[in-house]
Amino acid sequence: MTADDDRRSIIAALEQGDFAVAEAGCQSLLSRGATGEGLYLLAVVRAAQDDPFSALPLVEQAEALLPGREDVAYNHGVILRDLGRLAEAAEAWRRVTDLVPTHHDAWLNRAAAVEAVADLDAAGEIYGEALRHCPDEPRLLYNFADFHYRRGAVEAAVQAYDRLLQAFPGWSAAWTNLGMSHLRAGRFDAAEACHRRAIAEANSSDDLALAQFNLGNLLLRQGRWAEGFAAYEWRLRLPGVSRLDWPVPEWNGDEPSGCRVLVWNDQGMGDALQFLRFVRPVAERGHRVFVVLRDEIKTLAASVPGVEAAFGLSDPLPDMDVHLPLCSLPHKLGLTPEASWPGGPYLSTPSTVSLPPATGKRVGLVWAGNPGHSNDSNRSISLSDLAPLLDLPGIDWCSLQLGAGLEQLAGSPWADRVRDLSPLLTDFAATAAVMAQLDLLISVDTAVVHLAGALDRPAWGLLPAIGTDWRWRFEGETTDWYPSLRLFRQAEAGDWRPVMADIASLLLAQRYGG
């Protein structure tokens, strides 16, 4: 067997996941004196076994012995990336693009690594250089357009997507992203046309679900409830979404009186709080309605008119006749722009929590949501962003912050001015009881805003310039969903200062401070 035979057997073994045979082949190469090749392939074998720590010294030695090999340099970068050493990985991929200027994958990975270490200008220059060498590479064009979109350069993103789609007009995901770019620029008709083109061009179930879902979000933001909620049903088919399989059929609305309907929450807790209002119309049809949602919210959900009982995800359930995802209720009920829906308050506060006496108006604060949310980098703020408010005298500030973000309070200059209520917030019922004792809540777009609205408590919601949720529409200070909620919209991505200045002035004008 020759060295080439060894190499072919190693590659074949890797493709089959037979790492023992692959490693034996590497040892054979080393014994033949093919040290560079043997070390390189052994590094690849170790990396394929999720062991980048032992792979790194091997690939480093291999590249020193084989300095002109782009495949060695490329995999050196991959191993460094797997170790989280992105700046070094980008440098390895730079060596690849110096050797082979048309190496698409190296350009893609290099740009992504540089962007990840927060050097946006350098990443943009890399994309530009890459496209000079590979002007028609679709993945580079797609990532370049997406790069502009993520950094808020909407018009540059539109131009890049247009360039891509002129060459590849059947790319459904690119039409979807072009639609999102037009949406951010306020061109709603163009956005809708792109989403509908994405639907027409979809060649996979995942692409179709995403295109339909994005169209649904756009229509809902425009208040086109009937068509919007119909398209919104595609959320249940999005990639990675797991549906609960209930051993009963889905509710279709014409079941007889007395039918036992299991309504289960298919999205986040904010969505649950928003859509629980639609349980009552189901119960008014003579049905017995039971809801299943996360334990933190089940006590509060049991207070909703029309709910016979609420259960946590692991609780045993009585027998049911039909089921329905909670967020499908508006579609199933036929919500239209002309229809009215149950408003607030549709929750009550079954829990009793007493706050200490206040020294002034009590104002609650929530500055961060779930970091796993797809738009959290835009919607959440830091405690320091609230500084213009926290410096106002005469306000009894109360933190309702839980989870990520709470750690900012203890070491801040406002630790002695903001009362940490997190130990009291054992579930949403307890939070509701606390909220009933506040004069005002100021919060980013997270579940607690929906809680305030569902309780009909005064709240001011902070909305980001990027990725504003469909339920807050495109403009305005009010929302049909929650009459007690006032909206404050960020004008420029990342800049909350004008919003905070407006809120501070309003607090003073309403004699909350001073």
Side-chain angles (χ1 to χ4, degrees):
M1 180 178 286
T2 66
D4 285 342
D5 292 331
D6 280 334
R7 195 178 199 283
R8 283 191 289 270
S9 70
I10 294 167
I11 294 171
L14 278 171
E15 291 174 348
Q16 296 169 10
D18 192 338
F19 300 121
V21 170
E23 187 146 345
C26 296
Q27 297 299 336
S28 178
L29 280 175
L30 291 169
S31 68
R32 294 174 184 275
T35 306
E37 188 73 8
L39 289 170
Y40 164 58
L41 290 173
L42 186 56
V44 172
V45 171
R46 298 285 172 80
Q49 297 176 82
D50 297 322
D51 186 10
F53 292 99
S54 65
L56 182 60
L58 297 170
V59 78
E60 287 174 338
Q61 296 174 63
E63 190 171 7
L65 294 169
L66 306 169
R69 285 273 296 274
E70 76 277 3
D71 56 339
V72 179
Y74 178 80
N75 280 289
H76 190 177
V78 170
I79 292 166
L80 286 164
R81 179 196 62 197
D82 292 346
L83 288 167
R85 295 162 61 172
L86 294 180
E88 295 170 82
E91 175 58 23
W93 289 320
R94 183 200 61 76
R95 295 194 295 273
V96 177
T97 56
D98 286 348
L99 289 166
V100 184
T102 57
H103 199 298
H104 307 150
D105 288 334
W107 284 116
L108 287 165
N109 286 327
R110 181 181 166 194
V114 169
E115 182 182 357
V117 295
D119 194 340
L120 295 180
D121 290 337
E125 291 173 3
I126 290 169
Y127 277 119
E129 186 180 356
L131 288 168
R132 285 192 290 274
H133 291 289
C134 316
D136 300 318
E137 163 54 34
R139 293 172 301 160
L140 276 170
L141 285 167
Y142 184 90
N143 283 23
F144 182 50
D146 190 51
F147 165 77
H148 283 307
Y149 180 82
R150 291 194 306 275
R151 69 183 307 196
V154 177
E155 298 307 330
V158 168
Q159 292 177 13
Y161 282 122
D162 280 340
R163 177 179 169 185
L164 172 63
L165 288 165
Q166 285 174 8
F168 303 94
W171 197 331
S172 177
W175 283 110
T176 288
N177 289 0
L178 178 58
M180 299 299 290
S181 301
H182 281 307
L183 174 61
R184 189 178 293 183
R187 295 186 287 266
F188 308 134
D189 290 344
E192 182 176 344
C194 288
H195 289 320
R196 294 192 184 279
R197 180 67 182 270
I199 292 169
E201 299 292 349
N203 55 16
S204 74
S205 58
D206 286 353
D207 283 348
L208 179 59
L210 182 60
Q212 290 276 12
F213 176 71
N214 280 304
L215 175 63
N217 276 270
L218 173 64
L219 297 173
L220 290 173
R221 288 187 72 173
Q222 295 174 308
R224 296 159 66 179
W225 305 125
E227 188 181 5
F229 278 117
Y232 196 59
E233 288 296 281
W234 286 83
R235 74 192 183 281
L236 298 166
R237 307 188 202 181
L238 290 173
V241 171
S242 57
R243 290 195 57 169
L244 297 179
D245 293 324
W246 302 102
V248 291
E250 189 167 294
W251 182 71
N252 60 31
D254 60 3
E255 288 81 3
S257 178
C259 177
R260 292 162 299 184
V261 183
L262 177 65
V263 178
W264 53 279
N265 185 32
D266 55 299
Q267 298 204 102
M269 286 190 284
D271 301 277
L273 291 164
Q274 179 184 3
F275 288 101
L276 276 168
R277 72 180 73 213
F278 294 111
V279 168
R280 189 170 73 193
V282 178
E284 288 172 348
R285 298 188 181 197
H287 300 317
R288 300 174 61 192
V289 183
F290 304 82
V291 295
V292 174
L293 20 64
R294 284 172 55 175
D295 287 340
E296 303 97 304
I297 201 172
K298 70 177 182 180
T299 301
L300 191 62
S303 74
V304 174
V307 172
E308 184 165 329
F311 301 92
L313 296 177
S314 60
D315 292 339
L317 301 175
D319 291 337
M320 295 291 157
D321 298 312
V322 291
H323 79 92
L324 188 70
L326 179 59
C327 296
S328 292
L329 280 172
H331 173 59
K332 291 288 188 177
L333 292 169
L335 188 67
T336 66
E338 296 77 27
S340 60
W341 59 78
Y346 53 89
L347 297 177
S348 59
T349 55
S351 177
T352 301
V353 177
S354 297
L355 296 183
T359 57
K361 295 283 189 179
R362 282 201 186 103
V363 180
L365 296 171
V366 176
W367 56 89
N370 180 359
H373 188 279
S374 59
N375 196 47
D376 192 64
S377 61
N378 292 310
R379 67 166 185 167
S380 289
I381 61 177
S382 66
L383 179 62
S384 60
D385 287 319
L386 295 168
L389 312 185
L390 299 176
D391 290 335
L392 295 175
I395 298 178
D396 190 4
W397 296 106
C398 301
S399 168
L400 277 66
Q401 182 66 45
L402 294 172
L406 177 59
E407 76 287 346
Q408 298 173 27
L409 180 57
S412 75
W414 308 283
D416 60 344
R417 298 190 57 193
V418 179
R419 193 189 305 269
D420 179 12
L421 301 183
S422 61
L424 302 177
L425 310 179
T426 54
D427 64 3
F428 271 80
T431 304
V434 167
M435 197 171 293
Q437 301 171 67
L438 300 178
D439 295 291
L440 176 69
L441 171 74
I442 300 174
S443 174
V444 296
D445 182 10
T446 190
V448 72
V449 168
H450 295 274
L451 178 60
L455 293 166
D456 204 27
R457 298 295 302 164
W460 294 352
L462 311 178
L463 302 182
I466 296 175
T468 305
D469 195 86
W470 61 264
R471 66 207 79 206
W472 312 130
R473 306 283 286 270
F474 295 110
E475 58 188 6
E477 296 181 350
T478 61
T479 168
D480 295 333
W481 295 99
Y482 303 117
S484 66
L485 178 61
R486 180 170 180 170
L487 304 175
F488 292 81
R489 299 177 186 272
Q490 185 185 58
E492 298 292 335
D495 186 6
W496 289 101
R497 290 171 299 178
V499 171
M500 297 305 165
D502 289 345
I503 290 178
S505 297
L506 195 57
L507 286 171
L508 289 171
Q510 295 187 1
R511 300 185 181 278
Y512 276 79

